[in-house]
Every structure is written in structure tokens, then in C-alpha cells.
Amino acid sequence: LVQLVESGGGSVQAGGSLRLSCVASGFIYSTTSMGWFRQTPGKEREGVVAIDSGGVISYADSVKGRFTASRDNAKNILYLQMNSLKAEDTGVYFCAGHCETFFSGGRCYGDRYQYWGQGTQVTVSS
């Protein structure tokens, strides 16, 4: 059974930090492409981070310099360290695994990942 379970969300003030975790199971995590997305009501889902199967990490312009993704292949955990948070970072954050298409321009084409977590809420107050 493939599972992606996110945690670490919460409420913080602008300028604060949070670290999200995504625990993966049921597939070969270490060589699988992964991503972080966020969804806010009324807005389209936004890709935040994409990591290809070779471990190359790409960030959305909106989070560059503030967010850092990393992976612990021994523990099958994907992290997202979020610093200098802004109100516009508010949303439900999802991790995703295994791009079903291909990577182009540093992201999974069509954001078509096979596996998705349930999400964790991040709320940033200004």
C-alpha cells in the first residue's frame, strides 16, 4: 500500500518558520521523483518544489530563497523547511510522488504525479 503522510503544518505569524514532513511508504522512495504543492481556496493548485529522480531540486519563484526541500532516503521522509513565511503562503500543502510523465523545465509535466498525500494546513497571519 502506497502512502504519503504529511505533517508539520500549523499557524504562524508572518516572518515565522515551519518544517513540513512527508513520510513515504510502499514504493522505492530514494529514486522516485517527488514534489510539494499547495492549494488555497479559489486558487489553482501551485507547485512549490519539484525533485526529479536524480535528486535535482527546483523551486517555484514565489518561494525561492525562503523554502528548502530535502530528503532523508534512509527514513523515506521528504522535508520542506519554510522560512520568512508570508500570508500568501497560507494553504494546504501536499506532497506527491512519482511523476507519471517527464520532467521539463524543472517540474513534472502536467504535475501528473501518481501518489498524493492528504495534505497539511499552513496558516500564516500577517
Side-chain angles (χ1 to χ4, degrees), residues 77-123:
I77 302 176
L78 178 68
Y79 297 103
L80 183 65
Q81 177 67 44
M82 305 186 296
N83 299 326
S84 301
L85 283 162
K86 305 175 181 179
E88 51 264 43
D89 294 319
T90 293
V92 179
Y93 283 70
F94 301 89
C95 71
H98 186 225
C99 176
E100 293 184 301
T101 54
F102 53 89
F103 264 69
S104 176
R107 62 182 295 173
C108 175
Y109 184 77
D111 293 334
R112 286 186 53 187
Y113 285 88
Q114 184 175 4
Y115 313 126
W116 291 86
Q118 293 300 307
T120 185
Q121 176 71 45
V122 172
T123 304

Side-chain angles (χ1 to χ4, degrees), residues 25-118:
S25 61
F27 61 97
I28 302 174
Y29 168 78
S30 61
T31 57
T32 299
S33 52
M34 302 290 294
W36 282 103
F37 292 80
R38 62 187 179 193
Q39 178 82 58
T40 302
K43 294 185 179 180
E44 290 189 2
R45 184 180 63 195
E46 177 187 13
V48 176
V49 177
I51 308 173
D52 69 19
S53 57
V56 177
I57 304 174
S58 300
Y59 298 90
D61 288 342
S62 57
V63 305
K64 277 182 183 176
R66 300 187 299 120
F67 289 13
T68 302
S70 61
R71 57 194 306 170
D72 185 333
N73 289 337
K75 296 181 179 179
N76 287 5
I77 302 176
L78 178 68
Y79 297 103
L80 183 65
Q81 177 67 44
M82 305 186 296
N83 299 326
S84 301
L85 283 162
K86 305 175 181 179
E88 51 264 43
D89 294 319
T90 293
V92 179
Y93 283 70
F94 301 89
C95 71
H98 186 225
C99 176
E100 293 184 301
T101 54
F102 53 89
F103 264 69
S104 176
R107 62 182 295 173
C108 175
Y109 184 77
D111 293 334
R112 286 186 53 187
Y113 285 88
Q114 184 175 4
Y115 313 126
W116 291 86
Q118 293 300 307

